Amino acid sequence: LFIGLDSSMPGLLLDTLNGKRGSRVPLWLMRQAGRYLPEYRALRAEKGGFLALAYDSEAACEITLQPIERFGFDGAILFSDILIVPHAIGQHLEFLAGEGPKLSPPLVDAALEELTPDPSRYEAIYETVRLCRRHLPEGVTMLGFAGSPWTVATYMVAGEGSRDQHEARALAYRDPAKLDAILDRIVAETIDYLSGQIEAGAEAVQLFDSWAGSLAPDEFERLVIAPNAKIVAELRRRHPATPVIGFPKGSGEKLSAYARETGVQAVGVDETIDPVWAHRELPQGMPVQGNFDPLLLLSGSERLESRARFILEAFADRPHVFNLGHGIDRRTPIEHVERLIAVVRDFEGDGGGRGP
């Protein structure tokens, strides 16, 4: 079933997240289980919509394993969604074709206390993790995840995604106590949710903060760094051996403060960050993850190989997990992914850090 997997270095990804450097760079891609894969599209056509798949543990496990079977990645990322948490808190969740996720009632007009929690919604996700751990080949790390409090709050407040997170940002200024209560609830839920994933078999977890870049520096400290620090501190207390990857997309120069102050063991770097800058400014020895541009992978231009090597060279002197700067685009051709994998697998670092 897993023909072609490289299992010669068991636990390479997990070792890297724990601060060790191996003879090659481990690789996985955000949203690696998804619509760019024909096997995913076939299963979704058979099973139904996205949310139905996420709550079908056997189907979600099959989807999680699809890119491992095809590409031999070093990590398998749980197939789920960051909005499972607000769904369990009590908002109604649906995914509408062409419109994206919708949560109701939006908390800009409703009170958190009006929601009826349903923590049983987490159980199917934990079962997916258990199934995946039983089927993953030796040496492939099982990755769990959750949305970071600020990003989850933006959806809960507005009831949907937006370009500038206007509703949540305005609420932060207009009624900071209300937003703080929402964030505190998300923090508590996320701690228990990630802890449940770890107990089910996740070997590392990632906090996705897709909308961290929309905040001013002082708000970033209050709404991104502080809530994530609470989550990380409690997860380290409960599960001291489990690495936490923090990914504050769009944080720019605020990334170094995030890395120092949240307590995460590894930090994700998006495609807008210069990897040479990141290597210089991030804490010495901290594992980094990223930061290949998903649109360059989509285009498959002649720059694909040179840019990948530039990133590999820039991070050659610290533990590095090769990944994208955000999720893989659903239109990405399979052969472009194969080209990228070949570059990463063939790389032999010399610490040069000089780019194309």
Side-chain angles (χ1 to χ4, degrees), residues 49-253:
F50 174 84
L51 195 58
L53 284 174
Y55 283 129
D56 181 334
S57 299
E58 291 190 0
C61 176
E62 182 177 345
I63 292 167
T64 301
L65 299 180
Q66 284 174 348
I68 308 304
E69 296 170 11
R70 179 183 279 272
F71 300 119
F73 289 130
D74 298 290
I77 182 73
L78 169 69
F79 178 77
S80 185
D81 193 85
I82 65 169
L83 299 184
I84 298 298
V85 165
H87 202 201
I89 289 174
Q91 283 184 299
H92 176 69
L93 173 63
E94 57 183 338
F95 287 80
L96 303 178
E99 297 185 41
K102 301 286 184 180
L103 289 164
S104 57
L107 294 185
V108 68
D109 298 317
L112 192 62
E113 296 76 16
E114 297 171 5
L115 304 179
T116 302
D118 185 1
S120 69
R121 297 193 188 280
Y122 296 135
E123 293 303 322
I125 312 304
Y126 301 152
E127 179 61 15
T128 300
V129 176
R130 285 190 285 266
L131 287 171
C132 288
R133 276 303 301 274
R134 288 204 291 269
H135 290 91
L136 279 173
E138 183 179 2
V140 177
T141 299
M142 182 67 205
L143 298 159
F145 76 91
S148 288
W150 164 248
T151 289
V152 174
T154 67
Y155 287 95
M156 293 185 73
V157 170
E160 60 187 356
S162 68
R163 290 181 180 271
D164 62 0
Q165 296 75 58
H166 170 86
E167 296 287 4
R169 290 169 59 206
L171 183 64
Y173 291 121
R174 183 179 69 250
D175 191 348
K178 179 172 181 176
L179 184 61
D180 285 347
I182 295 169
L183 289 170
D184 287 346
R185 179 61 182 277
I186 297 170
V187 166
E189 291 282 330
T190 302
I191 290 168
D192 287 342
Y193 180 43
L194 288 177
S195 185
Q197 291 182 34
I198 294 166
E199 289 167 2
E203 298 168 278
V205 293
Q206 176 158 312
L207 287 162
F208 282 88
D209 221 338
S210 300
W211 301 129
S214 63
L215 294 168
D218 56 343
E219 292 295 275
F220 185 89
E221 289 279 343
R222 184 171 80 87
L223 304 177
V224 172
I225 289 179
N228 280 291
K230 292 177 184 177
I231 293 171
V232 174
E234 182 58 19
L235 287 177
R236 295 191 76 167
R237 188 189 70 80
R238 296 187 190 185
H239 309 282
T242 304
V244 179
I245 310 164
F247 179 53
K249 187 178 187 298
S251 56
E253 75 281 358

Side-chain angles (χ1 to χ4, degrees), residues 21-25 309 312-317 344 346-353:
R21 293 172 58 203
S23 60
R24 70 169 177 86
V25 176
R309 284 191 291 269
L312 289 160
E313 290 168 359
F315 290 134
D317 290 333
V344 178
D346 292 344
F347 177 73
E348 295 182 3
D350 60 6

Side-chain angles (χ1 to χ4, degrees), residues 262-280:
T262 58
V264 295
Q265 287 92 330
V267 65
V269 182
D270 68 56
E271 69 274 13
T272 68
I273 297 289
D274 178 359
V276 175
W277 175 91
H279 177 56
R280 183 179 68 244

